[in-house]
Amino acid sequence: MKLLHPSSWKDYELIDSGDFEKLERFGKYTLIRPEPQAIWSRSLGEQEWKKLADAKFVREQKDNYRFSEDVKGGWSRPQGMPESWNVLYKYNDLNLTLRLALTNFGHVGIFPEQGNNWNFIYDTITGWNIAKPRVLNLFAYTGAASVVARTAGAEVIHCDASRPGINWANQNMQLNNLNDIRWVYEDAFKFVRREVKRGNTYNGIIMDPPPYGRGPEGEKWTLQEQLNELIEMSSKLLEKKNFFFILSMYAVGLSPIVGLNVAKTHFDTTDAEYGEFFLKSKQGKDLPMGTFLRFRK
């Protein structure tokens, strides 16, 4: 089991966390956002947080996971701060530009810990000597992983049940001077089921499923009830060689071994890498950011 943090970031840092909040810098701007796992006390004082922060999101409900779009709350920010801005992510020959924004449910458009997976995707695809590998990104959000895979030379299918998320991902694609990512506005579970029936295959599958969710037609998604079947179907979509699989989960309370055991049920995962992602804090109190499992052949 591994503990990994995204060391390639220059435009992101976790400054401090505690009292159910986190203080983060995204490029030019520093934000205060809710963090349900930060049950400890802050290292810096409240006045220092206020001095450093450009904006703060106040959540009315404190029991929602980060993926839930039904969180109520709002931002307090100075008039001069834009509602959106760009950050850069660099890793070897990968130069990624991503649009961030202050959304009405507290997200900003990226999950910084995923930088580890972006590196994995880029290294894997550029290391293959095959023409036009195909990659499927499920629960794909604003598309950072889709853009990385496309930059590396893959044909990318980006599937998400949020129309605003797909629009945002399209903006990220254009920011990086790319084209031809295929956008699929659909429930991921239904799409995978149909892809199996069609006999389609992929060289890479990426999934970052929420604990709970709804599809475009009200389809219900529950991680603990449906993940096993989703991964079983996904195993039928992967090529027999030159393939990779990535599963990320931000479901508080689930061990990394959960993802490993589900994958072992349907894949030959003797060389699987699994563990927890975390964000390294300047103050020494690192912040856990969910589990990961990945392998490639």
Side-chain angles (χ1 to χ4, degrees):
M1 190 181 299
K2 295 185 176 181
L3 298 175
L4 300 179
H5 71 95
S7 58
S8 299
W9 276 109
K10 297 294 185 290
D11 262 6
Y12 173 82
E13 62 179 335
L14 175 64
I15 299 170
D16 194 12
S17 61
D19 301 318
F20 300 98
E21 292 183 316
K22 53 190 171 185
L23 181 68
E24 310 164 281
R25 180 182 63 83
F26 294 89
K28 297 178 181 179
Y29 301 104
T30 298
L31 312 177
I32 298 173
R33 297 194 294 158
E35 178 48 61
Q37 296 201 87
I39 66 173
W40 47 87
S41 300
R42 301 172 180 179
S43 295
L44 302 177
E46 183 177 354
Q47 291 306 312
E48 186 70 11
W49 275 50
K50 288 181 178 179
K51 180 180 176 182
L52 291 171
D54 294 291
K56 178 178 181 178
F57 184 81
V58 178
R59 176 180 285 177
E60 295 175 7
Q61 301 158 266
K62 296 184 178 180
D63 57 347
N64 292 92
Y65 293 111
R66 67 173 181 171
F67 288 96
S68 301
E69 296 195 8
D70 59 348
V71 171
K72 302 298 181 183
W75 290 94
S76 58
R77 63 185 176 91
Q79 286 189 342
M81 183 181 176
E83 291 189 5
S84 68
W85 69 101
N86 297 339
V87 294
L88 304 178
Y89 181 83
K90 296 186 179 183
Y91 168 73
N92 293 342
D93 294 329
L94 174 64
N95 292 284
L96 191 63
T97 302
L98 298 169
R99 174 184 171 268
L100 304 190
L102 303 179
T103 70
N104 59 10
F105 44 93
H107 299 192
V108 295
I110 58 169
F111 300 129
E113 70 279 2
Q114 289 296 318
N116 278 285
N117 279 337
W118 303 339
N119 299 354
F120 181 90
I121 294 165
Y122 188 77
D123 285 343
T124 303
I125 296 173
T126 56
W128 286 334
N129 187 24
I130 56 177
K132 295 184 178 180
R134 301 181 76 234
V135 171
L136 173 61
N137 190 6
L138 300 169
F139 309 97
Y141 192 45
T142 57
S146 299
V147 172
V148 171
R150 186 73 187 95
T151 300
E155 294 182 351
V156 179
I157 292 83
H158 171 114
C159 179
D160 198 273
S162 167
R163 183 72 74 185
I166 289 178
N167 292 339
W168 197 330
N170 187 36
Q171 292 174 324
N172 281 330
M173 180 186 72
Q174 294 177 37
L175 276 175
N176 290 275
N177 299 310
L178 299 169
N179 53 35
D180 295 335
I181 292 176
R182 179 186 166 197
W183 312 113
V184 176
Y185 172 55
E186 192 168 351
D187 175 73
F189 195 86
K190 286 173 63 175
F191 180 74
V192 168
R193 179 179 287 160
R194 278 213 313 278
E195 286 292 271
V196 171
K197 289 181 180 178
R198 293 171 181 143
N200 287 335
T201 58
Y202 295 89
N203 299 96
I205 295 178
I206 306 159
M207 62 174 72
D208 190 358
Y212 310 99
R214 292 281 182 180
E217 298 178 7
E219 303 93 338
K220 184 180 178 181
W221 163 262
T222 304
L223 179 76
Q224 288 165 288
E225 294 179 0
Q226 294 173 269
L227 182 66
N228 185 60
E229 186 178 353
L230 177 64
I231 292 183
E232 178 185 13
M233 292 189 295
S234 298
S235 70
K236 299 173 184 177
L237 296 180
L238 274 181
E239 295 282 359
K240 302 305 179 185
K241 63 178 182 178
N242 292 326
F243 70 83
F244 71 83
F245 179 82
I246 296 174
L247 167 67
S248 301
M249 293 190 294
Y250 190 86
V252 176
L254 286 186
S255 163
I257 298 174
V258 171
L260 177 66
N261 286 343
V262 175
K264 277 183 175 179
T265 307
H266 306 294
F267 292 104
D268 175 11
T269 57
T270 54
D271 58 348
E273 192 178 26
Y274 69 102
E276 277 196 59
F277 284 149
F278 71 96
L279 296 173
K280 204 164 189 63
S281 171
K282 291 180 67 176
Q283 308 304 321
K285 295 173 183 171
D286 299 334
L287 184 61
M289 296 305 295
T291 72
F292 72 91
L293 174 133
R294 62 197 188 192
F295 51 87
R296 57 189 168 195
K297 290 187 180 179

